[in-house]
Amino acid sequence: MKALNALAVAVSLTAVASCTVPTASSPAPVGAPVAGASTPPAGGPWIDNSAIPVGESGGGGAFLRPAGAVNFSGDGTGSFRVMCGFSHMAYDDPIVAPGRPGASHLHSFFGNTALDANTTAGNIRSIGNGTCGGGMLNRSGYWVPSMIDTTTGRPVAPHSLTVYYKSGYGGVAASEITVPPAGLRMIAGVSTALAPVGGAPWEREVSWSCADGTATGTPLTPGIQQCAAGQLLRMEIKFPQCWDGVNIDSANHKSHMSHTVEGGCPSSHPVAIPAITFGVFWTTPPEGTTSWRLSSDMYSGGVGGYSGHGDWFNGWDEATIRAWALNCVQAGKDCLVGNLGDGRELWTS
């Protein structure tokens, strides 16, 4: 995790369609990809399931240790970051296709190692290890469509995920931020997009850039960029931060949330939670990324990545999420990576 922590300091973060599942003579474990090659839907990438990478086993304990003090951010915002390793890939989506193993396109999961189609708000905090800082203190689910090298059908293992929780710049004061409710879940991005979504970078929920670990990255674009060998390809996903205060989900998994409007949260969604941003990273190979597409990219021609999207499912330990939400985000302090703002920090085994 030293490399992940270095990446968090160096890189600055700015911001479902179904798949036909292959069959086999003997069934795979529930939620696991079936061995062999998948038959893609029209326009979707072909996937060699035998090449699906194995992720991390995650931490099986509550990892906390003493930490130094944190300071006010200087610009009135509050923030907290957590680094996560890649957990597993599966044709599951516990938000869009709950209780239906294998009903989704291939996803890459981070955080809770037991996350599958049968994960619910009732069990997410009691199952699995954690691949993020804090181990089992953060059993949240974070997932995105898997990256596929279309020349071979090989799914590409992600390098890492950075999750950025902040008061934001949409007119919400840090003091207005509340603790996200247990089991809250939401989606950002358009999984069915066939063309660029949104206009300017600040208007898009999903954007792409290249980073080399020492710079803030290239200008944001709506599709996958062609990064240099060794650089990190980054997909940034910005979630809405205004909650309706009642529902932890909705029929389209978006309507219970809203982005800020001028001056803050709209009256229909009056409760402000931390603004959540994913930074998903893949290492660029020597041959580059020209052949890469997301498992949800159901179109041909042009660049991949227009269907980029992300899912967030709150599985934080209640005392831990309250600590960073109140001591860091609401207090207007910059807690950097894993610092809870109370003299303790999350770490990984």
Side-chain angles (χ1 to χ4, degrees), residues 95 121 179-187 240-258 268-271 273 312-314:
I95 293 180
V179 181
L184 180 67
R185 45 204 183 269
M186 55 180 160
I187 297 174
Q241 76 169 121
C242 300
W243 176 44
D244 67 11
V246 177
N247 303 291
I248 61 172
D249 198 1
S250 52
N252 64 0
H253 317 294
K254 290 189 173 188
S255 298
H256 60 304
M257 302 297 300
S258 171
S268 59
H269 296 75
V271 181
I273 65 169
W312 181 79
F313 199 145
N314 183 14

Side-chain angles (χ1 to χ4, degrees), residues 278-306:
F278 286 6
V280 189
F281 298 88
W282 293 267
T283 302
T284 304
E287 61 271 23
T289 58
T290 55
S291 63
W292 286 11
R293 284 189 176 271
L294 294 174
S295 60
S296 54
D297 282 341
M298 303 299 162
Y299 60 93
S300 59
V303 301
Y306 296 148

Side-chain angles (χ1 to χ4, degrees), residues 2 20 24 84 86 109 122 126 129 132-133 136 161 165 175 202-203 206 236 257 262 266 269 272 303 311 333 346 348:
K2 291 183 179 179
T20 302
C84 303
F86 161 57
F109 292 86
S126 61
N129 291 342
C132 304
M136 293 169 67
L161 167 73
Y165 296 92
S175 60
W202 58 86
E203 298 175 319
V206 178
E236 297 180 1
M257 302 297 300
E262 186 175 356
H269 296 75
V303 301
D311 299 59
K333 294 183 177 181
L346 306 177
T348 55

Side-chain angles (χ1 to χ4, degrees), residues 200-227:
W202 58 86
E203 298 175 319
R204 295 195 295 262
E205 288 189 328
V206 178
S207 294
W208 297 84
S209 62
C210 299
D212 59 12
T214 61
T216 56
T218 56
L220 300 175
T221 58
I224 294 174
Q225 294 192 15
Q226 306 310 311
C227 303

Side-chain angles (χ1 to χ4, degrees), residues 3-331:
L4 297 187
N5 291 334
L7 177 66
V9 174
V11 177
S12 173
L13 291 173
T14 21
V16 176
S18 63
C19 176
T20 302
V21 180
T23 59
S25 57
S26 58
V30 172
V34 178
S38 74
T39 302
W46 177 87
I47 299 173
D48 181 357
N49 285 332
S50 67
I52 288 177
V54 176
E56 300 178 15
S57 59
F63 301 129
L64 277 175
R65 64 187 178 191
V70 295
N71 299 313
F72 288 101
S73 65
D75 64 359
T77 63
S79 59
F80 170 81
R81 303 166 184 81
V82 64
M83 305 295 298
C84 303
F86 161 57
S87 171
H88 61 285
M89 292 186 186
Y91 290 98
D92 283 0
D93 191 323
I95 293 180
V96 174
R100 295 193 294 144
S104 177
H105 50 251
L106 189 64
H107 280 114
S108 294
F109 292 86
F110 305 81
N112 193 323
T113 59
L115 211 75
D116 62 17
N118 296 311
T119 301
T120 67
N123 66 21
I124 190 170
R125 293 196 295 183
S126 61
I127 58 173
N129 291 342
T131 67
C132 304
M136 293 169 67
L137 293 175
N138 183 9
R139 284 167 159 162
S140 296
Y142 311 91
W143 64 98
V144 298
S146 295
M147 186 68 73
I148 310 300
D149 183 346
T150 60
T151 60
T152 62
R154 177 181 61 87
V156 182
H159 174 280
S160 58
L161 167 73
T162 300
V163 186
Y164 197 40
Y165 296 92
K166 193 169 184 176
S167 58
Y169 296 96
V172 175
S175 60
E176 298 178 61
I177 299 295
T178 60
V179 181
L184 180 67
R185 45 204 183 269
M186 55 180 160
I187 297 174
V190 182
S191 65
T192 57
L194 305 177
V197 178
W202 58 86
E203 298 175 319
R204 295 195 295 262
E205 288 189 328
V206 178
S207 294
W208 297 84
S209 62
C210 299
D212 59 12
T214 61
T216 56
T218 56
L220 300 175
T221 58
I224 294 174
Q225 294 192 15
Q226 306 310 311
C227 303
Q231 277 192 315
L232 294 174
L233 172 66
R234 175 175 59 194
M235 177 170 63
E236 297 180 1
I237 306 170
K238 296 187 288 188
F239 290 81
Q241 76 169 121
C242 300
W243 176 44
D244 67 11
V246 177
N247 303 291
I248 61 172
D249 198 1
S250 52
N252 64 0
H253 317 294
K254 290 189 173 188
S255 298
H256 60 304
M257 302 297 300
S258 171
H259 285 285
T260 57
V261 295
E262 186 175 356
C265 287
S267 59
S268 59
H269 296 75
V271 181
I273 65 169
I276 300 171
T277 299
F278 286 6
V280 189
F281 298 88
W282 293 267
T283 302
T284 304
E287 61 271 23
T289 58
T290 55
S291 63
W292 286 11
R293 284 189 176 271
L294 294 174
S295 60
S296 54
D297 282 341
M298 303 299 162
Y299 60 93
S300 59
V303 301
Y306 296 148
S307 70
H309 58 283
D311 299 59
W312 181 79
F313 199 145
N314 183 14
W316 279 93
D317 166 74
E318 187 63 26
T320 305
I321 193 173
R322 288 188 64 82
W324 62 253
L326 300 180
N327 299 329
C328 302
V329 184
Q330 189 187 86

